[in-house]
């Protein structure tokens, strides 16, 4: 049993958080003003997607952490992912 790959975990987390936000912003912009009204489901999805950007540290912090992991692996000549 191998330990989880921290770099791969961070990559997946960053990708999913950013993808969720992009997926939700499109329909909200399509609906315009009504898309952000409290009764519309899309406004909740946008809020949830924004929350994903901040869970376990902001996406920027996650990217910095990933960069540190990758830098250490590069210095040690270890494969960057895997």
């Amino acid at each position: 049993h191998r330990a989880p790959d921290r770099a791969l975990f961070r990559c997946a987390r960053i990708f999913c958080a950013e993808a969720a936000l992009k997926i939700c912003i499109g329909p909200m912009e399509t609906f315009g003003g009504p898309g952000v009204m409290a009764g519309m489901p899309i406004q909740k999805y946008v809020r949830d997607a924004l929350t994903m950007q901040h869970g376990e540290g902001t996406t920027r912090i996650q990217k910095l952490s990933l960069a540190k992991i990758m830098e250490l692996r590069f210095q040690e000549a270890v494969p960057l992912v895997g």
Side-chain angles (χ1 to χ4, degrees):
H1 184 292
R2 282 180 29 176
D5 187 341
R6 295 179 320 153
L8 193 56
F9 168 77
R10 292 222 176 10
C11 287
R13 191 198 163 289
I14 292 165
F15 174 81
C16 290
E18 291 181 353
L21 188 58
K22 285 180 183 179
I23 289 167
C24 292
I25 292 291
M28 187 190 75
E29 289 176 347
T30 300
F31 282 104
V36 295
M37 301 299 285
M40 295 293 286
I42 190 64
Q43 59 86 23
K44 181 184 181 322
Y45 300 142
V46 171
R47 278 196 336 258
D48 291 346
L50 286 167
T51 302
M52 288 178 64
Q53 298 278 320
H54 298 91
E56 297 181 27
T58 65
T59 302
R60 286 186 180 186
I61 291 172
Q62 292 289 324
K63 287 179 180 179
L64 287 172
S65 176
L66 176 61
K68 288 178 186 178
I69 293 168
M70 301 299 257
E71 181 181 24
L72 286 172
R73 289 185 181 181
F74 182 76
Q75 290 171 352
E76 296 171 359
V78 176
L80 296 179
V81 178

